[in-house]
């Protein structure tokens, strides 16, 4: 725990190490974990069924310690504990498998500023459900992307159900501060992710709420977040809302509006199709990438590639931005179009510096049984550079097997 090594700590706990063992100073390993301010470390050390395992006094002690750190502040408490007067050294921790959080070092001690998240996690583990405003207040000062305090508050509020929490969340839609509304959108993102088949009524209520909110939200960043959640569900107003924002000045809003109007080709109106084609030359790459993505085969009930869509993808597959070309190549590959312009586009991609684009082109040629498939895969380079689960690497073997069968 002194090294913030949550992976090893978790293995030790799973192997039987006692996180509740009383130490010479009267504390426990679990209390020390709370002291570190690392939400990931506390999660690893907390163990299974802590509400049943720990007596009420121990649960209260853990909650009180996390709340004390959170309310006092990391730097202030470090000064009190160490007596150091010099400025604290801060660094941002961004561990892909752990905390994303600020860390402070002072007087020979290092603590992470995650006690708000720790408190929220402990409350959930101990069946304590504080008011919405209290939990949200722990998140709002930590609005950086992916911050652990922000994540924990939104995640656990997203897990709560019932009329009381719903009423509180719904009222936040009209909060004057866009940051609070962005937090609300994050809560709904988790509600949507955590929804189950037995909560169909909750999902329907959420989607109606998001549709109404989307039509009134004035802030571009918040609106994009709302549309991102909303487009994951079918809704009668979805295309109309998408067309309303397809020309929005914020590119992140336009990008999400693309998914509103492009959800299903069978249900797409002429106005929606025209709007999508009009964004092929949008000045922002993220918008062009979204257009390329909605033209994928999964939005089409048959394998026919309409001439206008083919022309659009052929433009996008030559886009100046790499990840736009990637999305366009993936969508174009999904179809069974074997026309000369499409084949020429895939052959041209074999000259790309990006190995992923070369592999997509080789895969597309293999699917079309193109005679230059062997050459295409040679141009890709070593296939072990890709994930063993990447289906595209198998294209060369299917091509060879198919051609051996034909020759036999």
């Amino acid at each position: 725990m002194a090294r913030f090594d949550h992976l090893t700590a978790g293995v030790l706990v799973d192997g039987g190490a006692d996180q509740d063992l009383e130490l010479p100073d009267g504390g426990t390993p679990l209390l020390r974990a709370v002291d570190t301010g690392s939400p990931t470390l506390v999660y690893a050390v907390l163990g299974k069924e802590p509400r049943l395992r720990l007596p009420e006094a121990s649960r209260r002690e853990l909650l009180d310690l996390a709340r004390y750190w959170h309310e006092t502040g990391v730097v202030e408490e470090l000064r009190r504990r160490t007596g150091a007067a010099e400025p604290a050294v801060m660094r941002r921790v961004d561990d892909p498998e752990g905390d994303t959080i600020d860390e402070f070092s002072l007087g020979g001690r290092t603590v992470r500023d995650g006690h708000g998240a720790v408190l929220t996690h402990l409350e959930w583990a101990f069946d304590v459900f504080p008011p919405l405003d209290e939990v949200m207040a722990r998140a709002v000062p930590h609005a950086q992307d992916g911050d652990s305090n922000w994540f924990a508050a939104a995640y656990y509020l997203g897990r709560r159900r019932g009329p009381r929490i719903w009423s509180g969340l719904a009222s936040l839609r009209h909060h004057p501060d866009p940051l609070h509304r962005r937090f609300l959108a994050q809560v709904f993102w988790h509600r949507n992710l955590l929804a189950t088949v037995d909560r169909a009524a909750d999902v329907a209520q959420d989607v109606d709420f998001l549709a109404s909110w989307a039509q009134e939200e004035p802030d571009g960043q918040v609106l994009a977040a709302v549309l991102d959640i909303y487009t994951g569900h079918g809704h009668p107003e979805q295309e109309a809302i998408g067309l309303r924002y397809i020309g929005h000045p914020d590119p992140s809003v336009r990008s999400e509006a693309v998914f509103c109007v492009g959800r299903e080709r069978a249900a797409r109106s002429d106005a929606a199709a025209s709007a999508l084609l009009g964004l092929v030359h949008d000045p922002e790459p993220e918008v062009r990438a979204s257009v390329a993505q909605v033209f994928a085969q999964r939005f089409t009930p048959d394998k026919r590639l309409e001439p206008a869509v083919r022309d659009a993808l052929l433009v996008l597959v030559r886009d100046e931005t790499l990840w736009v070309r990637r999305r366009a190549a993936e969508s174009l590959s999904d179809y069974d179009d074997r026309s000369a312009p499409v084949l020429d586009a895939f052959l041209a991609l074999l000259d790309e510096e990006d190995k992923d684009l070369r592999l997509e082109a080789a895969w597309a040629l293999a699917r079309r049984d193109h005679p230059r498939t062997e050459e295409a895969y040679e141009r890709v380079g070593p296939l072990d550079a890709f994930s063993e689960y990447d289906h595209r690497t198998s294209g060369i073997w299917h091509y060879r097997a198919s051609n051996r069968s034909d020759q036999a």
Side-chain angles (χ1 to χ4, degrees), residues 131-348:
L132 166 62
D133 289 349
E134 184 179 329
V135 179
M136 182 174 62
R138 301 170 193 164
V140 170
H142 302 274
Q144 304 100 310
D145 288 344
D147 188 277
S148 298
N149 293 284
W150 177 279
F151 174 86
Y155 173 75
Y156 286 111
L157 286 173
R159 293 187 67 175
R160 288 167 64 171
R161 291 293 187 273
R164 180 177 298 179
I165 190 65
W166 168 258
S167 177
L169 291 173
S171 68
L172 274 181
R173 169 179 151 189
H174 302 290
H175 198 286
D177 184 356
L179 185 58
H180 288 72
R181 301 198 301 275
R182 182 154 66 89
F183 176 74
L184 174 63
Q186 191 66 41
V187 174
F188 270 88
W189 188 89
H190 287 291
R191 283 176 65 92
N192 175 70
L193 183 68
L194 298 165
T196 58
V197 291
D198 59 339
R199 287 177 174 162
D202 284 351
V203 172
Q205 183 184 39
D206 286 3
V207 175
D208 285 341
F209 175 80
L210 291 166
S212 177
W213 184 6
Q215 296 179 67
E216 297 179 354
E217 176 54 52
D219 183 86
Q221 188 178 22
V222 177
L223 176 58
V226 173
L227 291 176
D228 177 44
I229 311 161
Y230 173 62
T231 54
H233 305 275
H235 191 265
E237 299 177 56
Q238 189 160 304
E239 185 180 290
I241 290 174
L243 289 172
R244 175 175 181 165
Y245 292 118
I246 207 76
H248 195 278
D250 189 323
S252 61
V253 174
R254 295 200 302 279
S255 182
E256 295 300 337
V258 164
F259 292 101
C260 282
V261 300
R263 187 172 56 87
E264 291 182 14
R265 190 190 74 84
R268 192 185 300 158
S269 68
D270 291 343
S274 177
L276 290 173
L277 293 172
L279 292 177
V280 168
H281 299 285
D282 190 277
E284 294 296 330
E286 67 177 294
V287 180
R288 302 196 300 274
S290 294
V291 173
Q293 190 171 339
V294 300
F295 282 143
Q297 179 67 47
R298 65 179 179 276
F299 291 99
T300 311
D302 52 40
K303 291 190 175 183
R304 182 173 57 87
L305 181 55
E306 297 171 356
V309 174
R310 180 180 60 206
D311 292 345
L313 287 173
L314 288 173
V315 169
L316 293 168
V317 84
R318 298 189 297 270
D319 194 272
E320 61 182 6
T321 302
L322 172 61
W323 46 287
V324 176
R325 299 199 298 277
R326 281 183 176 179
R327 297 292 88 76
E330 291 165 2
S331 292
L332 196 57
S333 178
D334 273 352
Y335 292 94
D336 195 30
D337 190 294
R338 304 186 182 209
S339 63
V342 170
L343 294 176
D344 288 344
F346 287 126
L347 290 170

Side-chain angles (χ1 to χ4, degrees), residues 361-370 373 377 392 395-396 398-399:
W363 162 251
L365 292 170
R367 288 186 64 232
R368 290 159 174 78
D369 201 31
H370 194 277
T373 295
Y377 273 91
R392 299 172 301 176
I396 183 63
H398 291 303
Y399 171 80

